[in-house]
Amino acid sequence: MKLLVTGGAGFIGSNFILYWLKKYPQDKIVNLDKLTYAGNLENLKSIEKNPNFSFIHGDICNQQLVNQVTSNVDVIVHFAAESHVDRSILDAAPFIKTNVEGTYILLEAAVKNKIKRFHHVSTDEVFGALPLNSRGKFNEKTPYNPRSPYSASKAASDHLVRAYATTYNLPTTISNCSNNFGPFQFPEKFIPLAITNLIEEKKIPVYGDGLYVRDWLYVEDHCKAIDLILQKGKIGKTYFIGGLADDISNMEVIKKILKLMNKNESNIEYVKDRPGHDRRYAIDWSKTQEELGWNPQFGFDDYLKLTIKWFINNQDWWKRIKTGKYLEYYKKQYA
Ligand code: NAD
Ligand code: DAU
């Protein structure tokens, strides 16, 4: 099988490529990535000489290139996106361009080239916010209610995928998953930002009251779920993927990180809240479990330990990122 992975130099896409080629070494993967600030070929160093892997430096908004690249692949796994909510608040334009127009261009090419499966990687953020202290979870019946430019652009891309499935019979699947964490995550996101700041003896910026809730999913569990969707998922269906059974607030996550890194709470700094900050996300992934036999392999604490260890052992990787443009962004965001 030949797969086109878009955004494969980013956090989840690179984990997915490494996972896939280890499990299915006979398959071929083409990675199409624009290498924005979030794309990093160092993530794929261990497979750069693998003859079954190739990299194309390009934009999913480039129609001609996308048509050419999709002309001889079986499956598309679409990760490429602008992915950080805070950046979408600073400037929505690249989010609309890549997440909406880029997805449209890929879908057009997929129809034209009769792709056997188009898997779209989406997010739980398209469903908006759940109230704190409720037991409710997002499920297959939850209506769309995106509240940030990022989530609105992802919602638009989900709608386009469904429209192409209905109108042109494109064989699609969609997954809406919760907050990922793990190796190679760009240190603008909460968990890698906290860990790397602590190693650098800097404070952890906590938005608002710190009582926001996210449903943390380890990236390898996410990759396994996409694998099962590609192997056993039903065409036209949407799959929900989450990591936790119980709520955990951002402050609780930070306290666990502080404890594991032998630090105290003087390393926390409360900062101005994110505008329109979604209070709580929680995913009901029971249908995915029933249908595909998927569930997270280990618990949050074990995965957090693994993640901290990875960032301690791979300081060159993130120290190269936390320079120049990253520091400019950090200053603007946390001024
Ligand atoms: P990321 O920001 O780490 O990586 C995005 C990748 O896409 C980068 O390699 C970047 O260079 C590439 N890219 C961006 N614009 C492009 C373009 N126009 N053409 C080609 N490549 C382009 O993102 P991530 O965290 O790995 O997220 C991957 C996907 O998963 C996204 O679609 C995101 O919306 C979704 N998602 C992420 C999470 C999460 O917690 N990280 C949770 C749910 C869903
Ligand atoms: O839910 C899935 C989504 O998870 C994905 O679709 C997005 O691509 C991904 O970025 C992530 O979005 P969040 O906004 O939830 O993730 P982030 O890591 O930015 O923030 C997690 C929580 O931590 C959120 O409540 C905001 C808070 N936070 C974040 C940062 C960066 C802070 O308190 N301080 C910070 O400095």
Side-chain angles (χ1 to χ4, degrees):
M1 185 157 74
K2 189 166 177 186
L3 293 87
L4 169 66
V5 172
T6 68
F11 163 47
I12 308 174
S14 61
N15 274 283
F16 178 80
I17 292 174
L18 297 174
Y19 165 92
W20 195 274
L21 284 176
K22 193 168 170 200
K23 185 152 178 214
Y24 306 105
Q26 73 289 357
D27 282 353
K28 290 189 165 40
I29 292 193
V30 180
N31 172 20
L32 173 62
D33 197 296
K34 186 180 174 182
L35 298 182
T36 65
Y37 78 91
N40 189 345
L41 288 178
E42 280 187 46
N43 305 5
L44 300 165
K45 208 146 188 55
S46 62
I47 52 149
E48 69 185 358
K49 295 203 170 75
N50 183 329
N52 284 344
F53 171 71
S54 56
F55 171 64
I56 297 172
H57 185 191
D59 191 332
I60 57 165
C61 298
N62 179 339
Q63 194 157 21
Q64 205 185 344
L65 174 69
V66 166
N67 256 327
Q68 189 193 318
V69 176
T70 46
S71 66
N72 63 350
V73 298
D74 305 301
V75 168
I76 297 176
V77 188
H78 177 32
F79 294 96
E82 290 291 336
S83 70
H84 194 40
V85 174
D86 293 323
R87 289 188 194 252
S88 83
I89 296 168
L90 292 173
D91 179 12
F95 288 74
I96 308 307
K97 182 87 184 157
T98 287
N99 302 1
V100 186
E101 190 183 331
T103 301
Y104 149 73
I105 285 169
L106 270 175
L107 287 164
E108 282 283 317
V111 171
K112 194 170 167 187
N113 291 302
K114 299 191 172 48
I115 293 299
K116 293 194 191 99
R117 175 77 73 89
F118 185 103
H119 181 72
H120 178 56
V121 179
S122 192
T123 169
D124 59 357
E125 299 207 5
V126 297
F127 303 111
L130 294 163
L132 260 196
N133 304 320
S134 69
R135 300 289 303 158
K137 294 191 173 198
F138 298 134
N139 63 37
E140 290 74 6
K141 294 200 173 96
T142 308
Y144 276 63
N145 182 24
R147 292 157 32 93
S148 73
Y150 163 70
S151 54
S153 69
K154 291 296 289 186
S157 67
D158 292 12
H159 293 322
L160 280 170
V161 173
R162 288 200 184 92
Y164 274 68
T166 308
T167 308
Y168 303 109
N169 286 324
L170 183 68
T172 62
T173 39
I174 299 179
S175 48
N176 291 92
C177 75
S178 57
N179 288 63
N180 284 225
F181 68 108
F184 299 119
Q185 186 166 29
F186 194 87
E188 66 190 348
K189 306 287 189 328
F190 190 49
I191 288 182
L193 177 66
I195 298 169
T196 57
N197 272 16
L198 285 177
I199 299 173
E200 292 177 304
E201 313 257 317
K202 288 186 188 141
K203 294 197 182 206
I204 304 171
V206 173
Y207 293 160
D209 57 14
L211 299 180
Y212 294 86
V213 170
R214 295 295 183 265
D215 182 345
W216 297 100
L217 167 68
Y218 191 62
V219 65
E220 197 179 332
D221 283 333
H222 182 191
C223 295
K224 283 183 187 152
I226 297 174
D227 180 3
L228 285 166
I229 295 168
L230 292 176
Q231 309 292 345
K232 305 204 283 186
K234 293 200 181 86
I235 298 298
K237 260 197 93 164
T238 295
Y239 292 88
F240 279 50
I241 313 167
L244 302 179
D246 299 313
D247 279 9
I248 177 166
S249 71
N250 291 345
M251 273 315 292
E252 286 169 291
V253 172
I254 288 306
K255 283 184 185 162
K256 282 178 189 289
I257 294 175
L258 288 170
K259 194 162 172 216
L260 287 166
M261 295 182 70
N262 291 319
K263 301 270 185 183
N264 62 42
E265 288 183 29
S266 67
N267 292 288
I268 295 173
E269 184 176 31
Y270 287 94
V271 298
K272 198 168 131 255
D273 209 348
R274 172 187 285 174
H277 196 167
D278 288 338
R279 241 324 161 189
R280 172 174 173 261
Y281 301 146
I283 289 207
D284 175 359
W285 39 270
S286 56
K287 293 235 162 32
T288 305
Q289 184 176 34
E290 281 158 30
E291 193 181 316
L292 304 178
W294 175 88
N295 51 273
Q297 201 175 352
F298 299 108
F300 179 67
D301 290 11
D302 292 325
Y303 284 141
L304 196 56
K305 269 186 221 152
L306 274 182
T307 304
I308 291 172
K309 202 168 158 196
W310 190 89
F311 279 92
I312 289 174
N313 291 338
N314 289 277
Q315 296 196 29
D316 286 353
W317 180 85
W318 58 263
K319 280 188 174 155
R320 272 196 282 276
I321 293 172
K322 282 186 138 187
T323 53
K325 285 242 181 310
Y326 176 93
L327 295 178
E328 276 171 37
Y329 160 76
Y330 198 89
K331 216 166 146 189
K332 201 164 167 189
Q333 177 60 24
Y334 297 99

